[in-house]
Amino acid sequence: MALSEPARLSYLHAMGIQPWLDRARFSAPPRQAAEPAPPALARPPTQPPPRSPAAAAPRPAPAAPQPVAEAPRIPVRGDIARLDWPGLRARVADCRACGLHATRRQSVFGAGDPAADLMIIGEAPGAEEDSQGEPFVGRAGVLLNAMLLAIGLKREQVFIANILKCRPPGNRDPAADEALHCEPFLQRQIELINPRVILAAGRVAAQNLLHTQETLGRLRGKPQRLGARQTPLVITYHPAYLLRSPEQKARAWEDLQQVARLLRG
Ligand code: SF4
């Protein structure tokens, strides 16, 4: 998306970022004419709607290979591994695999482009998300939108999901068994979307994706890759945390610039 300099500066201002931190202008990068993707990256027959012709070209290998932590390989379990996008959405809507089904208003499948280059993964629905059925709404959602616009992306151009599809009462952290039961849904979403970059927003998302108890401070800023496709994973702060700790916005901006670099390939 072409973003004028005044508009970009206004979004940076909304994030609380001083524009002198980076004057580079980011825009959603065009896909490169690519070498053939390795077989492991081939889309399954049950993929979501195809991208535009240019975007549908085989993807180049992710740029800037760096030493990474051992990549978790999380198999998608059971028949969920064979669901297509509508089937997966329906399964999540009806899911009663963990106790959260009893207290939710509705499950929150995720929102955005099911063929997005960038996938954002947060923690779990809160009260507003549970009510509206969409992730990252309210003030945190507004800040996330501003963060995305700062790197030239509209909310509709990415896909946003959570570790858990249903709201934990009181917005507590997900319990281990809840995350375990819900994991196949997220893994199938990642498989079907096949994003070029994943952005984990917050400690809970990062810890569950990487199956670690490391602190966010130790995890962010380090190159990571996820799953069999070795998708680049960037870890940053949750927008709700940034609202409480605006002094961390400069670091979040560093993470977003890393996302932009990876998307440029
Ligand atoms: Fe099912 Fe996940 Fe909701 Fe638990 S949180 S009921 S596993 S969709």
Side-chain angles (χ1 to χ4, degrees):
M1 179 189 70
L3 190 67
S4 69
E5 188 65 8
R8 188 185 74 86
L9 292 176
S10 73
Y11 295 128
L12 288 177
H13 178 74
M15 287 185 61
I17 300 300
Q18 295 297 318
W20 51 262
L21 281 174
D22 191 332
R23 291 180 182 278
R25 180 175 179 175
F26 294 109
S27 59
R31 291 177 185 277
Q32 299 176 353
E35 62 199 69
L41 293 180
R43 287 182 170 275
T46 53
Q47 63 190 10
R51 296 173 166 86
S52 64
R59 292 179 171 177
Q66 302 173 59
V68 296
E70 185 175 347
R73 288 176 177 265
I74 310 164
V76 180
R77 292 190 290 271
D79 63 338
I80 295 173
R82 295 185 292 277
L83 292 175
D84 62 9
W85 195 253
L88 186 63
R89 183 184 286 277
R91 182 69 70 85
V92 168
D94 292 339
C95 180
R96 296 180 175 215
C98 81
L100 295 181
H101 79 273
T103 51
R104 72 187 178 205
R105 281 181 181 227
Q106 59 190 313
S107 59
V108 180
F109 179 73
D113 181 358
D117 284 340
L118 174 61
M119 184 171 182
I120 299 171
I121 300 175
E123 177 178 334
E128 291 183 82
E129 289 83 3
D130 180 59
S131 174
Q132 297 185 34
E134 181 162 339
F136 284 90
V137 295
R139 290 179 64 221
V142 170
L143 178 56
L144 177 66
N145 295 348
M147 293 165 69
L148 290 171
L149 285 166
I151 57 169
L153 289 171
K154 292 180 181 175
R155 179 183 174 96
E156 313 85 76
Q157 291 177 292
V158 307
F159 192 86
I160 307 172
N162 281 314
I163 296 292
L164 291 187
K165 309 305 185 196
C166 303
R167 181 194 180 204
N171 295 344
R172 61 163 170 73
D173 282 1
D177 68 308
E178 294 161 356
L180 191 67
H181 281 109
C182 217
E183 185 177 76
F185 296 129
L186 180 62
Q187 292 306 318
R188 187 59 178 155
Q189 285 179 312
I190 294 172
E191 273 194 357
L192 291 171
I193 295 170
N194 190 15
R196 291 173 61 190
V197 181
I198 295 173
L199 177 66
R203 171 185 59 83
V204 170
Q207 289 181 339
N208 278 279
L209 287 171
L210 292 170
H211 291 182
T212 179
Q213 291 300 311
E214 287 277 18
T215 64
L216 186 74
R218 285 181 175 272
L219 292 173
R220 72 159 288 280
K222 295 178 183 170
Q224 308 274 3
R225 293 186 188 275
L226 192 67
R229 290 174 174 139
Q230 292 283 282
T231 306
L233 172 69
V234 178
I235 295 167
T236 193
Y237 300 101
H238 195 286
Y241 173 78
L242 293 174
L243 290 171
R244 298 191 302 272
S245 305
E247 70 277 7
Q248 301 292 358
K249 286 182 177 178
R251 288 182 174 165
W253 176 234
E254 292 172 5
D255 301 331
L256 288 171
Q257 289 177 92
Q258 175 65 7
V259 168
R261 281 191 289 273
L262 289 165
L263 287 174
R264 278 201 296 268

